[in-house]
């Protein structure tokens, strides 16, 4: 992305120019792509090329899933795919990919007693909806077991990738990739998390707190997480 059409969440103004890191990211990506060996099976798209980069790519949600998994003793060979699925869902509930969504009203209508005119921009607080006590029991608690039998209200209020025509098209693939990678890491590694602060960084994404996570590739036996 080279610009933002939404007012910056911290500074409070629209970013008109590319951030200074954008050129560096582009140059680094181009350098890595240039190092890849020529493919024999024809042209590939950018996603295939990026997935083939040395070391792979991870996202903020993956950091949260691994960190929460370690803190709640999911880093054990006994962890199952079903437990990881609930872990990822709960991580996306507490720390959604986009903590707010922007939509444009197609027609004039009322929302919760407020009149919205056609063409007006609406800000949807995904982070607030995911933590609403009207929908979730103990909403601030990390409780993956809530996804064993979610209610209809919870399904409707769960918007980590948006909903409707504006939903992120990578929704299904992203969740499956998160589940697979989290299971791969937590099943075969013992982890330790050290946080310097317990508050996440709030900007476009809810980035994990500052600190570090250590992974030791040594399978160990332990009790199954809840």
């Amino acid at each position: 992305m080279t610009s933002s059409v939404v007012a910056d969440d911290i500074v409070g103004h629209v970013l008109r120019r590319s951030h200074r890191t954008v050129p560096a990211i582009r140059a680094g990506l181009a350098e890595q792509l240039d190092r890849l060996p020529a493919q024999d099976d024809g042209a590939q798209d950018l996603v295939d090329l990026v997935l083939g980069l040395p070391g792979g790519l991870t996202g903020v949600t993956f950091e949260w899933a691994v960190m929460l998994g370690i803190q709640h003793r999911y880093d054990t060979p006994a962890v199952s795919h079903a437990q990881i699925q609930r872990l990822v869902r709960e991580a996306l509930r507490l720390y959604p990919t986009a903590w707010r969504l922007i939509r444009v009203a197609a027609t004039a209508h009322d929302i919760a007693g407020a009149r919205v005119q056609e063409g007006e921009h609406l800000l949807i607080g995904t982070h607030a909806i995911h933590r609403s006590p009207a929908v979730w029991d103990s909403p601030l608690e990390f409780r993956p077991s809530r996804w064993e039998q979610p209610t209809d209200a919870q399904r409707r209020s769960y918007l980590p990738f948006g909903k409707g025509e504006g939903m992120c098209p990578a929704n299904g693939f992203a969740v499956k990739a998160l589940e697979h990678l989290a299971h791969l890491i937590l099943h075969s590694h013992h982890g330790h998390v050290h946080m310097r602060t317990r508050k996440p960084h709030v900007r476009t994404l809810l980035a994990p707190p500052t600190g570090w996570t250590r992974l030791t590739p040594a399978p160990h036996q332990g009790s199954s997480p809840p």
Side-chain angles (χ1 to χ4, degrees):
M1 295 183 63
T2 58
S3 62
S4 173
V5 295
V6 180
D8 182 82
D9 307 309
I10 301 298
V11 182
H13 63 272
V14 176
L15 301 177
R16 301 291 183 183
R17 296 179 299 177
S18 300
H19 191 274
R20 61 181 180 274
T21 59
V22 172
I25 294 174
R26 287 175 175 168
L29 178 59
E31 181 181 353
Q32 291 292 334
L33 292 176
D34 188 56
R35 292 178 180 177
L36 293 178
Q39 301 294 326
D40 299 328
D41 54 351
Q44 293 179 309
D45 61 19
L46 181 59
V47 174
D48 290 330
L49 291 173
V50 170
L51 290 176
L53 291 177
L57 298 175
T58 59
V60 173
T61 303
F62 179 62
E63 293 182 52
W64 273 117
V66 171
M67 187 180 75
L68 290 170
I70 293 171
Q71 291 177 321
H72 294 271
R73 301 182 62 188
Y74 282 72
D75 53 334
T76 167
V79 69
S80 68
H81 282 283
Q83 290 168 325
I84 294 298
Q85 288 174 349
R86 295 192 289 268
L87 164 67
V88 170
R89 278 199 157 198
E90 186 70 349
L92 282 168
R93 182 188 71 85
L94 286 171
Y95 309 103
T97 305
W99 69 275
R100 86 285 184 270
L101 304 170
I102 302 294
R103 296 292 184 266
V104 179
T107 60
H109 58 287
D110 294 326
I111 298 180
R115 188 64 179 174
V116 177
Q117 301 300 327
E118 179 181 351
E120 287 188 331
H121 287 73
L122 304 177
L123 183 131
I124 303 171
T126 313
H127 183 261
I129 294 174
H130 282 191
R131 294 170 176 241
S132 171
V135 180
W136 313 92
D137 296 329
S138 303
L140 301 184
E141 291 185 10
F142 176 77
R143 189 185 295 176
S145 60
R146 72 175 81 243
W147 292 105
E148 294 176 3
Q149 292 182 324
T151 66
D152 290 339
Q154 290 171 345
R155 292 190 183 95
R156 290 194 300 268
S157 302
Y158 188 61
L159 311 168
F161 295 92
K163 182 164 286 191
E165 294 182 358
M167 178 182 288
C168 175
N171 175 20
F173 169 79
V175 173
K176 292 298 182 183
L178 285 169
E179 293 171 354
H180 175 73
L181 291 173
H183 185 265
L184 185 66
I185 293 296
L186 295 173
H187 178 268
S188 58
H189 290 75
H190 173 69
H192 177 74
V193 173
H194 174 77
M195 293 188 296
R196 295 173 182 169
T197 173
R198 295 188 177 274
K199 294 183 179 180
H201 302 288
V202 183
R203 271 182 97 80
T204 304
L205 299 174
L206 289 171
T210 57
W212 47 265
T213 300
R214 177 186 296 159
L215 294 171
T216 303
H220 64 285
Q221 298 297 324
S223 59
S224 177

